[in-house]
Amino acid sequence: MSEHLMNTYARLPIAFERGEGAWLYDSNGKAYLDALSGIGVCGLGHAHPAVTKAITDQAGKLLHTSNLYGIALQAALANELTRVAGMDRAFFGNSGAEAVEAAIKLARLYGHRRNNPQPAIIVAEHSFHGRTLATLSATGNRRVQAGFEPLVQGFIRVPYNDIDALHTVARNSPHAVAVLIEPIQGEGGIQIPDPAYLDAVRKLCAANEWLLMLDEIQTGMGRTGRWFAHQHHDWYPDVMAVAKGLANGVPIGACLARGAAAELFQPGNHGSTFGGNPLACAAALAVIRTIEQEKLIERAGVLGARIVAGLKNAFAGVEGIVDIRGRGLMIGIETAKPIPALTSAGLQHGVLFSVQAEKVVRLLPPLVISDSEADEIVYRVATALIAAMSSAEPQAAGARR
Ligand SMILES: *Cc1c(COP(=O)(O)O)cnc(C)c1O
């Protein structure tokens, strides 16, 4: 690695040269099964021909003109994305953090329009919303915030999956205007709330005229077996942030809004030089088309169930595994304690995953994997995890009844 890169990542000692589907190849030609998809980005896997074609065709025509002019592909993407999301309008930026920033700005405008000069947004513990100043202030992780104080004001923190805490805010905080939460906490360790919690949050937001703003950056684009995770329920959010899987690796983010929230921004309120440029929009349109053509939403549900069942089987009787949980292809394996060198063990066994919140192995495999690739993920993850557990503590781990 270059000493001229800012030292923002403790990188693993490996770099990939090319990919195909769920497979990545390093500079020695060794193959790795990618069960992380570039952190939930490459839902169609690597080098999907539909995305490659969309990008190469568009690159030969037009990359960028700016938002001073009409952009036909951006309009087409807004139509498609609002159609699959059931939302009314879209704003395009270039990342997840920018999508959340737009949501935060919408909530503040919403407050000011309602004569609330100090609008506050309710956010959850253990959440992750990005690394810009406003989004790290919204994030419920001190390690993300430390060293960057003073934080952006105007956030009220509550425990996740605790509806009583939200009722307390409703009683005591007249400045609250919105709730910003992930329908499943991804960086926080695949924390899946009770379905009744999200239903109750929706109701409470309506009763208090708060905007319900969902961060679906990690859960969206088919990952959980629906286009968006809230579609496991029968209601809509007012605002939703989308990014990661939207263009399979071409940077893009979108803030979607519905009803009154969709009418808040007026010319001059918000903008982006690159946001929604023809290249990124062509890629995103290809992603949406491919997800529909290949029926990947349904597939994510089927594959997720297969992997979770396979993992439960593989870890039956293995001490130190606390929980195996998932929704579609967003899967967590929680261990009793942190396992040292776990991701390196994955590399040795040719499988890529991440570890979140110290004790949760996170799997976000591509939606395009075959049944046998799903089984291979189970096999490699289980083998790597059991190996790492037994080298960390030779007495305690291993398959024992
Ligand atoms: C990744 C992520 C973000 C930040 O996205 P960036 O593209 O890294 O800015 C925000 N929220 C959630 C839930 C995420 O998973």
Side-chain angles (χ1 to χ4, degrees):
M1 297 299 159
S2 169
E3 64 194 34
H4 297 293
L5 280 171
M6 287 207 189
N7 195 18
T8 49
Y9 284 94
R11 296 171 197 266
L12 290 160
I14 184 175
F16 302 108
E17 271 184 4
R18 64 185 183 88
E20 195 181 338
W23 296 89
L24 282 169
Y25 301 88
D26 72 9
S27 25
N28 302 318
K30 178 173 172 183
Y32 298 80
L33 198 42
D34 186 0
L36 191 60
S37 307
I39 320 186
V41 168
C42 302
L44 304 188
H46 302 284
H48 192 290
V51 180
T52 305
K53 182 170 189 325
I55 294 170
T56 48
D57 286 356
Q58 191 55 41
K61 282 188 208 160
L62 190 62
L63 289 182
H64 177 86
T65 57
S66 92
N67 285 297
L68 300 179
Y69 313 101
I71 302 175
L73 285 163
Q74 188 185 112
L77 178 58
N79 293 345
E80 287 295 279
L81 199 50
T82 54
R83 173 177 66 80
V84 298
M87 303 293 277
D88 291 332
R89 290 182 189 264
F91 170 83
F92 292 104
N94 312 288
S95 66
E98 284 170 85
V100 178
E101 284 273 349
I104 292 168
K105 287 180 71 174
L106 278 179
R108 286 192 167 192
L109 263 188
Y110 176 75
H112 283 274
R113 298 270 162 83
R114 295 157 62 89
N115 299 317
N116 173 352
Q118 300 287 328
I121 300 169
I122 303 163
V123 291
E125 290 173 5
H126 308 297
S127 62
F128 182 78
H129 298 296
R131 297 285 194 160
T132 62
L133 268 177
T135 59
L136 76 82
S137 301
T139 289
N141 180 342
R142 275 302 300 156
R143 280 200 292 198
V144 172
Q145 298 173 337
F148 302 110
E149 297 84 359
L151 301 180
V152 172
Q153 298 295 292
F155 295 103
I156 299 170
R157 181 98 34 214
V158 296
Y160 192 58
N161 200 21
D162 179 347
I163 195 66
D164 293 338
L166 269 179
H167 280 287
T168 305
V169 175
R171 279 193 300 274
N172 300 329
S173 304
H175 293 302
V177 293
V179 173
L180 169 65
I181 48 168
E182 299 153 87
I184 297 173
Q185 291 186 333
E187 302 303 296
I190 314 293
Q191 301 298 337
I192 307 175
D194 302 330
Y197 169 71
L198 293 176
D199 291 342
V201 173
R202 175 64 280 185
K203 282 211 184 84
L204 193 63
C205 284
N208 288 282
E209 300 188 326
W210 295 340
L211 299 179
L212 173 54
M213 310 202 298
L214 292 184
D215 182 341
E216 290 244 24
I217 290 167
Q218 196 161 142
T219 50
M221 300 309 291
R223 170 112 343 245
T224 72
R226 297 284 189 276
W227 275 105
F228 298 97
H230 74 269
Q231 292 171 343
H232 291 282
H233 304 257
D234 59 358
W235 41 258
Y236 296 98
D238 300 293
V239 176
M240 173 164 68
V242 184
K244 291 202 163 86
L246 180 51
N248 216 53
V250 179
I252 188 170
C255 178
L256 308 182
R258 199 168 190 278
E263 310 304 324
L264 287 164
F265 278 154
Q266 296 300 319
N269 285 144
H270 198 43
S272 167
T273 299
F274 292 127
N277 83 14
L279 184 77
C281 291
L285 281 164
V287 167
I288 293 175
R289 211 178 303 126
T290 305
I291 288 176
E292 289 192 320
Q293 280 170 1
E294 298 186 9
K295 300 199 172 11
L296 296 178
I297 306 280
E298 299 78 1
R299 197 62 195 138
V302 171
L303 284 163
R306 184 182 184 102
I307 291 176
V308 167
L311 289 170
K312 286 190 170 158
N313 188 41
F315 288 116
V318 176
E319 272 178 45
I321 304 292
V322 174
D323 191 25
I324 295 166
R325 55 181 176 261
R327 269 254 186 193
L329 288 172
M330 190 166 185
I331 297 165
I333 307 162
E334 184 166 343
T335 56
K337 47 188 151 180
I339 312 292
L342 189 46
T343 41
S344 314
L347 292 184
Q348 268 168 25
H349 290 85
V351 62
L352 309 180
F353 52 76
S354 77
V355 178
Q356 300 308 126
E358 289 170 357
K359 295 187 300 189
V360 182
V361 174
R362 174 178 60 175
L363 308 182
L364 303 169
L367 281 50
V368 295
I369 54 176
S370 64
D371 288 353
S372 62
E373 284 167 338
D375 297 345
E376 188 66 21
I377 287 173
V378 170
Y379 176 75
R380 292 190 185 198
V381 168
T383 313
L385 187 38
I386 289 171
M389 285 166 74
S390 43
S391 57
E393 204 169 336
Q395 300 351 313
R400 285 190 296 144
R401 289 259 172 207

